[in-house]
Amino acid sequence: MTEVSRVIDVPPEAVFAVLADGWLYAGWVVGSSHIRDVDENWPAIGSRIHHSVGPWPVHIQDKTVVTAVEPGLSLSLQARGWPLGEAAVGLTLVPHGEGKTEVRMTEHIVGGPAKVLPAALQTLLIKPRNTESLARLADLATGKHTRTKNAQP
């Protein structure tokens, strides 16, 4: 399993607000290029995001499914990108000082051809992508939180 983490200068509920908006998924998940549909009850267990993976015109149409959720605390996903494979992804939000959140992201390949890659090679491929995903998540959460805070009277 590969884990990366990042401290974001917003409270956990601000980070979770981005995770809970399935239409923002392609904005922070590296590799996801287009959101086709989001189940109305996202991020309830079993709900799905229907997305494309990869660059046009060779993108793959697939989905990501919520496997567990604790609003404001954690989100677990089964992300698919067939024919490459399938991964279990976990995002945990930990308060980190006043108004900050440490986001921990884990991923391990659970199916498909990529599963046969040695663990060290999987980490070599996954870690930089997930580090960038957390950087994008930080930007979205910070921007959304700042705009919301500035809009309040």
Side-chain angles (χ1 to χ4, degrees), residues 11-22 24 42 72 93 137 141 144-145:
E13 59 272 10
V15 177
F16 196 81
V18 174
L19 299 177
D21 184 344
L24 294 177
W42 178 270
L93 312 180
L137 178 62
K144 189 172 184 172
H145 180 70

Side-chain angles (χ1 to χ4, degrees), residues 126-137:
I126 292 170
K127 191 170 187 173
R129 181 174 55 88
N130 288 353
T131 298
E132 175 61 20
S133 289
L134 288 186
R136 293 177 185 191
L137 178 62

Side-chain angles (χ1 to χ4, degrees), residues 97-151:
E98 190 174 324
K100 296 183 180 186
T101 306
E102 179 183 14
V103 181
R104 298 178 188 150
M105 183 177 188
T106 61
E107 180 173 350
H108 66 277
I109 298 170
V110 296
K115 187 174 178 173
V116 301
L117 296 174
L121 183 55
Q122 288 182 27
T123 296
L124 189 63
L125 297 170
I126 292 170
K127 191 170 187 173
R129 181 174 55 88
N130 288 353
T131 298
E132 175 61 20
S133 289
L134 288 186
R136 293 177 185 191
L137 178 62
D139 289 342
L140 284 169
T142 302
K144 189 172 184 172
H145 180 70
T146 301
R147 291 186 80 159
T148 302
K149 194 167 73 172
N150 290 341

